Amino acid sequence: MSASALKFQIGARTLAEIPRRLRRIALSLDQALAGAPPLLPPLDADDDGYLVTSLPAEAALPWRGVAFVRQHYTRYYVDLAAGEDAWRARLSGQARATLRRKTRKLAEANGGRLDVRSYRAPTELAAFHPLARAVSATTYQERLMQSGLPADPAHGDALAAADGVRAWLLFLRDTPIAYLWCRGDGDTLRYDHVGHDPAYGALSPGNVLLGAALESLFGDRFRRFDFTEGEGQHKRALASGGVACRDLLLLRPTLTNRASVAAVGGFDAALRVAARAARTPALAGIARRIRRA
């Protein structure tokens, strides 16, 4: 898989791009936990380098060209094999209370019951897809990140036929307001496509659906639930473990690549300074207005 650009991003919003042809090497959760670096396949003549994601923090990856760490993060996961009681015991008291409160609030808005429906067989996913697509079209994941649920109605059919898909919809008065689509990677289930209709954001439908989905997985065949790359408060709150990772750019040692990395690195450093400044109470309100804009 190739990535087409180095992006200047603030959160999910891309401000500019530098075209680069990168071979993307995405490590699985099992690989990240194992701690070993991947083998890099040969580059094609027109490739500029590699983008290695979820590389364990302590793993060395020798490279004679330009190497640049784009971000550090914890790759969170839930140990499903340990059981639901062990998972709940590892959650903070605040996380448990918050999930109960949000679940109760949404159930009350739905006449006293939580309406979560699960899908896994190809025939079930055929019913799931148009409903989830309608939700996905409203989400920031699709509008800003182009990572909504794929429009192809046959998306995941072959995987589902091999018992490799789990999906859920959360309904409010028979209207779908949040979806979650996960694919199996061996005995790990990946958190691949997720979103909720922002019109119902006050009810925290995404968090409620995720909690309900996790509860249903403890009797399933999967041993881990993988929150995949990147941080997130909901991931930290609900995870039972995590592995320190970094995303690494490895580029050919050309002047253009060096200049590109310098520009992206300077932008990222400026964002870190701005983020620290935004924690100052006097600037916090301004920062929130800028993000909303």
Side-chain angles (χ1 to χ4, degrees), residues 201-213:
L203 292 172
S204 306
N207 289 338
V208 172
L209 178 57
L210 177 57

Side-chain angles (χ1 to χ4, degrees), residues 192-250:
D192 274 4
H193 301 292
V194 59
H196 69 269
D197 187 332
Y200 301 94
L203 292 172
S204 306
N207 289 338
V208 172
L209 178 57
L210 177 57
L214 285 173
E215 290 175 0
S216 73
L217 285 172
F218 285 99
D220 210 316
R221 69 175 182 85
F222 297 101
R223 296 182 59 81
R224 295 192 190 98
F225 183 85
D226 177 15
F227 281 110
T228 68
E229 300 153 2
E231 296 275 359
Q233 191 278 331
H234 63 295
K235 297 181 182 183
R236 290 191 296 274
L238 296 178
S240 55
V243 54
C245 292
R246 66 193 193 277
D247 289 352
L248 187 62
L249 284 169
L250 302 174

Side-chain angles (χ1 to χ4, degrees), residues 108-244:
E108 289 171 353
N110 195 51
R113 70 183 184 93
L114 193 65
D115 188 359
V116 174
R117 306 176 197 179
S118 60
Y119 308 78
R120 59 193 286 181
T123 52
E124 295 171 343
L125 289 168
F128 165 88
H129 189 270
L131 297 173
R133 271 297 309 154
V135 176
S136 182
T138 70
T139 65
Y140 79 88
Q141 288 93 340
E142 182 155 326
R143 291 183 291 104
L144 299 181
M145 302 172 65
Q146 294 77 52
S147 63
L149 185 70
D152 181 3
H155 172 67
D157 278 0
L159 193 59
D163 195 34
V165 175
R166 299 291 185 271
W168 296 264
L169 282 167
L170 173 63
F171 289 81
L172 180 63
R173 294 183 292 274
D174 286 325
T175 297
I177 63 171
Y179 81 96
L180 175 60
W181 189 101
C182 302
R183 69 174 176 88
D185 181 10
D187 59 5
T188 295
L189 190 68
R190 288 175 47 94
Y191 180 69
D192 274 4
H193 301 292
V194 59
H196 69 269
D197 187 332
Y200 301 94
L203 292 172
S204 306
N207 289 338
V208 172
L209 178 57
L210 177 57
L214 285 173
E215 290 175 0
S216 73
L217 285 172
F218 285 99
D220 210 316
R221 69 175 182 85
F222 297 101
R223 296 182 59 81
R224 295 192 190 98
F225 183 85
D226 177 15
F227 281 110
T228 68
E229 300 153 2
E231 296 275 359
Q233 191 278 331
H234 63 295
K235 297 181 182 183
R236 290 191 296 274
L238 296 178
S240 55
V243 54

Side-chain angles (χ1 to χ4, degrees), residues 19-22 43 46-50 63 250-252 257:
R20 296 286 89 186
R21 182 176 173 84
L22 304 173
L43 292 173
D46 56 351
D47 285 336
D48 293 296
Y50 304 93
W63 178 251
L250 302 174
L251 302 177
R252 298 184 191 272
N257 286 339

Side-chain angles (χ1 to χ4, degrees), residues 27-39 52-62 75 77 224 242-246:
L27 275 69
S28 68
L29 176 60
D30 284 349
Q31 289 174 305
L33 288 169
L39 295 176
V52 184
T53 62
S54 287
L55 183 68
E58 302 304 320
L61 196 55
R75 183 161 177 170
Y77 63 90
R224 295 192 190 98
V243 54
C245 292
R246 66 193 193 277

